[in-house]
Amino acid sequence: MSERPRPWWQSATVYQIYPRSFQDSDGDGVGDLEGILSRLGYLEWLGVDAVWLSPIYPSPMADFGYDISDYCGIHPLFGTVADFDRLVEAVHGRGMRLILDFVPNHTSSEHPWFREARSSRDNPKRDWYYWRDPAPDGGPPNNWLSNAGGPAWTFDEASGQYYYHAFLPEQPDLNWRNPEVRAAMHDVLRFWLRKGVDGFRVDVIWHLAKDPAFRDNPPNPAYREGVDAPFHRVQQLHSADHPDILGIVAGMRRVLEEFPNDRLLIGEIYLPIERLVAYYGRDLEGAHLPFNFQLIGADWHAGKLRQMIKEYEAALPFGGWPNWVLGNHDQPRIATRVGRAQARVAAMLLLTLRGTPTLYYGDELGMENVPVPPEREQDPFGKNMPGVGQGRDPERTPMRWDTSENAGFSTAEPWLPLGDDWQVANVAVERQDPDSMLSLVKALLDLRRREPALQVGDFRTLAIEGDVLVYRRRGPERSLVVALNLEPAPKAALFTEDEVRGRIALSTHADRQGEAVGRELALRADEGVVIELAG
């Protein structure tokens, strides 16, 4: 009997689009589906395999689409359901896949379900959300805090009870312990799967079940006043990561398995590795890819990264497929975190580690966080927590396409500023520059597609002398070694394994191709290389 082919997503590169910021087609300063459709040629040229869209559903936009008022529609700001259908067809026509954001933890407070639930205590939808009586002093039922700032409970004057929201008051949490909620949300998944969607990235999946007794969360002894977000005052022991969530995730997975073609389930999970990997499921019946965000908060030094990668690989359940993420719509851009020079090394790291990588739009250009003046600030997280640096606008600014007005993003003023460097850091300019970040990312993606060793090959770190991160990817026919200098000073790596002999296939400095490598490798400041081994 022949082996079952690997699922498509194991060798894929996922590209995240924040739809408001990718391409505007109708001149309102905000990106839309037609805009994305017009740029699919770029994504095909770049060499990504799957496109993930942040929410495009009808929403009051209290949290820019993560407060959904209709799970089976398209917000007019982005277009129509017909536009979406055309986009699915066009994505598939170019040999790519389409992944949607799924936001099951909470609805908008404007969703018809919540309007019914808050209409009276005995409404049939009341138990679709979390309602509790006040504490004896009239305050909130417990000490849980909102991730968006402030308490996690809002008092409803009409019914005399509080409702729970892990995020904004406009985002009441659904009660996933209610079988009617599960059935309704499973039907939402089926709606989009029937339209040809290839998978879902599930928002805050680790919040989907809470402690049934609603016990207080313990105080966080590591909390730093004025440094950490206010919700870190307590440890989210009882308000998130409840063991019952794993059954909920397995239920979603079963829905996806009703459909052919290896539909993909990704989970957004900000947890330590030992808790993150539980979301694969005991028998791999959970999320295919519980998002691994370790590189986002990593201490950017060779030894620390080496240890982190080893620990993650060791923690994976047997048969669990790894994944890596450098940035997203909630986190500062990689070029801001580690600098532009190291962002090139980071791109090589992301696209050569074992597992499925996710690339955030604009990172292939080396885009940095864009300062947003207070009068143009949009993100409610930043407004709710002033001075703490929680605003996410700087990493959500518009894609830069060319040197025309508004960087080719829109004919109108974009909803967020472009930044000062858009006339040099844009697609048109960087496509013509063989030394650009875009040219490097393109070359890495091309190499990844050519080399099974990078797509699905074995991985192990190599013992060397020198402060350099070095690892080997072994494929069925060829092996590659990746050596990364994470410092702004030259470094030398002395290989302790005789078989590391070959030629450089790619350097982050866009030169040295074909250069022979012997026992010692000299790396310039902020340089990474991929070495094709001889034999």
Side-chain angles (χ1 to χ4, degrees):
M1 183 183 294
S2 61
E3 280 190 31
R4 184 182 185 275
R6 284 180 176 270
W8 62 268
W9 44 266
Q10 288 192 356
S11 59
T13 298
V14 178
Y15 185 94
Q16 182 192 356
I17 288 176
Y18 193 67
R20 295 180 70 93
S21 294
F22 200 61
Q23 178 67 61
D24 173 25
S25 72
D26 57 8
D28 62 359
V30 177
D32 47 47
L33 295 180
E34 185 65 40
I36 295 169
L37 184 62
S38 73
R39 295 296 186 179
L40 292 183
Y42 165 74
L43 298 178
E44 184 181 18
W45 167 83
L46 184 61
V48 298
D49 304 287
V51 180
W52 153 33
L53 304 183
S54 292
I56 51 176
Y57 312 101
S59 164
M61 293 291 173
D63 188 20
F64 294 110
Y66 285 94
D67 51 317
I68 295 171
S69 55
D70 177 4
Y71 282 99
C72 297
I74 301 294
H75 195 294
L77 188 69
F78 300 121
T80 64
V81 172
D83 292 333
F84 178 81
D85 291 338
R86 288 192 300 114
L87 180 62
V88 173
E89 183 179 5
V91 168
H92 289 165
R94 291 182 180 270
M96 297 183 288
R97 314 276 181 151
L98 189 67
I99 298 168
L100 284 189
D101 236 302
F102 180 51
V103 188
N105 179 68
H106 46 262
T107 70
S108 165
S109 55
E110 297 299 314
H111 196 290
W113 297 345
F114 188 70
R115 287 182 169 180
E116 286 189 50
R118 78 186 310 175
S119 66
S120 71
R121 288 198 182 198
D122 57 1
N123 186 277
K125 293 253 186 332
R126 186 73 169 184
D127 189 52
W128 283 41
Y129 297 84
Y130 295 101
W131 297 89
R132 288 293 178 273
D133 290 329
D137 64 358
N142 62 25
N143 72 343
W144 296 359
L145 296 174
S146 165
N147 290 42
W153 297 92
T154 289
F155 188 65
D156 179 60
E157 294 280 353
S159 65
Q161 286 187 313
Y162 283 87
Y163 68 86
Y164 176 70
H165 48 90
F167 296 90
L168 297 170
E170 295 88 351
Q171 295 170 295
D173 279 37
L174 283 165
N175 176 15
W176 273 81
R177 297 185 186 281
N178 185 322
E180 293 180 350
V181 169
R182 294 196 194 196
M185 296 302 275
H186 287 174
D187 283 343
V188 169
L189 293 173
R190 293 185 183 101
F191 174 86
W192 294 107
L193 289 165
R194 290 188 187 105
K195 284 188 168 292
V197 167
D198 298 288
F200 299 91
R201 173 268 190 186
V202 184
D203 186 61
V204 297
I205 202 169
W206 84 104
H207 276 269
L208 287 177
K210 289 76 171 164
D211 172 32
F214 291 87
R215 288 170 288 182
D216 277 356
N217 279 325
N220 179 7
Y223 177 71
R224 299 166 298 173
E225 186 74 44
V227 176
D228 297 324
F231 73 89
H232 285 303
R233 290 179 186 275
V234 296
Q235 301 175 58
Q236 294 185 326
L237 181 65
H238 300 302
S239 54
D241 194 30
H242 191 279
D244 291 348
I245 296 174
L246 301 183
I248 294 172
V249 178
M252 293 182 195
R253 169 76 173 268
R254 287 192 295 272
V255 173
L256 269 64
E257 289 176 347
E258 296 171 10
F259 294 79
N261 303 323
D262 292 318
R263 311 300 171 101
L264 173 62
L265 189 66
I266 304 171
E268 183 198 24
I269 306 164
Y270 285 94
L271 289 174
I273 286 300
E274 67 275 8
R275 291 157 66 192
L276 168 75
V277 296
Y279 285 77
Y280 283 99
R282 189 181 300 275
D283 298 310
L284 300 184
E285 77 282 9
H288 296 103
L289 299 177
F291 257 153
N292 168 25
F293 294 125
Q294 283 194 101
L295 290 178
I296 288 178
D299 192 352
W300 207 253
H301 298 286
K304 298 288 182 63
L305 284 180
R306 185 183 304 112
Q307 186 62 29
M308 184 197 75
I309 294 165
K310 281 184 174 181
E311 289 176 356
Y312 175 63
E313 284 275 353
L316 289 169
F318 181 76
W321 189 248
N323 70 94
W324 298 93
V325 182
L326 272 182
N328 62 34
H329 60 292
D330 288 332
Q331 302 295 335
R333 286 193 177 270
I334 181 64
T336 294
R337 298 201 308 271
V338 301
R340 287 192 176 190
Q342 274 297 311
R344 299 173 72 94
V345 178
M348 182 170 280
L349 176 68
L350 175 72
L351 296 174
T352 59
L353 283 169
R354 188 175 83 97
T356 302
T358 297
L359 184 65
Y360 185 50
Y361 86 95
D363 279 357
E364 74 271 26
L365 302 177
M367 280 177 62
E368 297 177 274
N369 278 19
V370 174
V372 178
E375 67 273 13
R376 294 198 63 181
E377 191 171 11
Q378 305 276 352
D379 184 21
F381 278 43
K383 294 177 180 180
N384 286 357
M385 295 178 270
V388 185
Q390 295 298 306
R392 299 163 297 178
D393 292 332
E395 58 261 25
R396 298 177 174 184
T397 56
M399 184 70 169
R400 294 93 163 266
W401 295 104
D402 53 43
T403 57
S404 66
E405 189 176 8
N406 300 319
F409 166 74
S410 176
T411 56
E413 182 180 27
W415 75 289
L416 285 173
L418 289 165
D420 294 334
D421 62 343
W422 65 268
Q423 291 187 317
V424 291
N426 65 64
V427 172
V429 168
E430 293 197 23
R431 279 185 77 159
Q432 301 303 314
D433 179 2
D435 296 336
S436 71
M437 179 73 161
L438 179 59
S439 293
L440 171 64
V441 172
K442 165 71 171 163
L444 283 163
L445 287 167
D446 287 348
L447 183 65
R448 183 180 174 85
R449 280 194 162 177
R450 290 196 308 270
E451 293 289 351
L454 291 181
Q455 292 181 6
V456 296
D458 294 339
F459 170 94
R460 71 182 176 97
T461 56
L462 296 185
I464 61 159
E465 294 177 17
D467 190 20
V468 176
L469 176 60
V470 181
Y471 49 89
R472 180 174 184 152
R473 302 298 313 281
R474 186 191 300 272
E477 299 177 359
R478 186 165 32 232
S479 294
L480 303 171
V481 165
V482 181
L484 305 173
N485 179 7
L486 281 79
E487 304 290 339
K491 296 276 184 180
L494 187 65
F495 295 110
T496 57
E497 300 186 28
D498 289 338
E499 70 267 27
V500 181
R501 299 286 187 275
R503 295 189 178 276
I504 293 177
L506 187 62
S507 164
T508 56
H509 285 34
D511 56 10
R512 301 183 73 176
Q513 189 166 346
E515 180 182 316
V517 175
R519 188 155 185 259
E520 186 170 355
L521 172 67
L523 291 173
R524 289 165 290 183
D526 305 306
E527 183 179 27
V529 297
V530 180
I531 304 163
E532 183 181 306
L533 298 188

